[in-house]
Amino acid sequence: MPPLAGAASLSYGADAAGLICGYLLAEGAPPQALDSAQAAQWLAKRHTHAAPTPFLWLHFNLSHAQAVRWMERHADLPEAFFDALKDRSVSTRIERDDDTLIAVLNDAHFDFAFEPSDIATLWTSVAPQLMVTGRTRPLRSVDALRTAVRTGHAPGSSVGLLAELMRTQASGLVNIVRGVTQRIDDVEDALLAGRLDHKRARLGVLRRLLVRLQRLLAPEPAALFRLLQHPPAWMNAEDAQELRDSTEEFSVVLRDMQGLQERIKLLQEEIAASVQESNSRSLFVLTVVTVLALPINILAGLFGMNVGGVPLAHDAQGFWIIVAVVVAFTAVAGWLALRGTRDR
């Protein structure tokens, strides 16, 4: 690996060109951090390297105004990559454009809080000597990959780095699935204990999260399998196998997500049935109380009319006679109201 001037001092917020981090990587050699100026210098003379050559990974903050301009000026990326950036398409796909792979991936935010909106997109271009990634918000998998590269755990090729990125993304999704599973377990325990609270709303959020993740990630395995049928000439069999393995990891996670969605659906149905049963009991109690109060309300209305001829008005036992009549009618009304429940 040719020596380059000084180690770059990189901040997570990106430098003047929007570069968050840049690393020159080669198999069996420690990673070398580059800033945007050093990366431009290396890219200008990369065609002079003899095989086997190192490759460069550049990660950009696309919210930075200079990021796309720098890539257009120095990186010699295919037009399809810039078209994907302009379209801001979030559907997951991996396509081949001549000898370059163009990938649109989706991942969880760095500060992921189990909300459906905590998903963002990563745009990627992979060539034999260059891998460029760009995002608008910090992503978990890229940050984990950056840490692995910085500590010397980096593959020896750009395709291997893409496969490692996808494996890191799959690992992050496994953690998300575990977190969702724990939350579903808590809701299930609360349901069994009779504490509903606001569990239906929580389950709805978790289900929307899983649906969004599956919708964004589901096309990825199929797209990769299509790509691996006709890989670029520079991709060796080992790199193709790594991509295939990372695809299988994604498939397992997606199946787990499908199972969790079915479990959430069953819990929602159980909670809805419990709420409906509780409402039915309340309505039944209200109905019984109304029926039992009906006789006394009717008699009170009749005897309360300010007209002559009210019976028992001057009878010394009139009050008790009316009480007896009310009790008798109330007993009959109660028997009629409760008779249907005993037949069920």
Side-chain angles (χ1 to χ4, degrees), residues 272-328:
S274 298
V275 172
Q276 183 176 3
E277 183 179 355
S278 177
N279 292 338
S280 298
R281 285 197 300 267
S282 300
L283 183 60
F284 173 73
V285 171
L286 179 62
T287 302
V288 170
V289 171
T290 303
V291 170
L292 295 179
L294 185 61
I296 192 172
N297 288 332
I298 294 176
L299 289 177
L302 289 174
F303 282 90
M305 292 187 296
N306 191 17
V307 295
V310 176
L312 304 177
H314 303 289
D315 194 319
Q317 302 298 324
F319 172 77
W320 298 109
I321 295 174
I322 294 301
V323 168
V325 172
V326 169
V327 170

Side-chain angles (χ1 to χ4, degrees), residues 62 80-96 101-107 119-126 131-135 139 162 165-166 169 215-221 223-224 227 250:
L62 297 178
F81 177 76
F82 296 107
D83 290 341
L85 293 181
K86 294 175 183 177
D87 293 342
R88 282 293 191 263
S89 175
V90 297
S91 59
T92 298
R93 64 184 186 275
I94 299 182
E95 303 170 342
R96 176 181 171 183
L101 302 182
I102 308 298
V104 179
L105 309 175
N106 292 279
D107 191 28
I119 309 296
T121 305
L122 178 73
W123 290 269
T124 307
S125 173
V126 182
M131 175 171 167
V132 174
T133 56
R135 54 76 173 166
L139 301 176
L162 174 62
L165 172 63
M166 296 180 64
Q169 187 179 4
R215 179 173 59 84
L216 292 176
L217 298 177
E220 188 165 359
L224 261 178
L227 169 66
F250 260 108

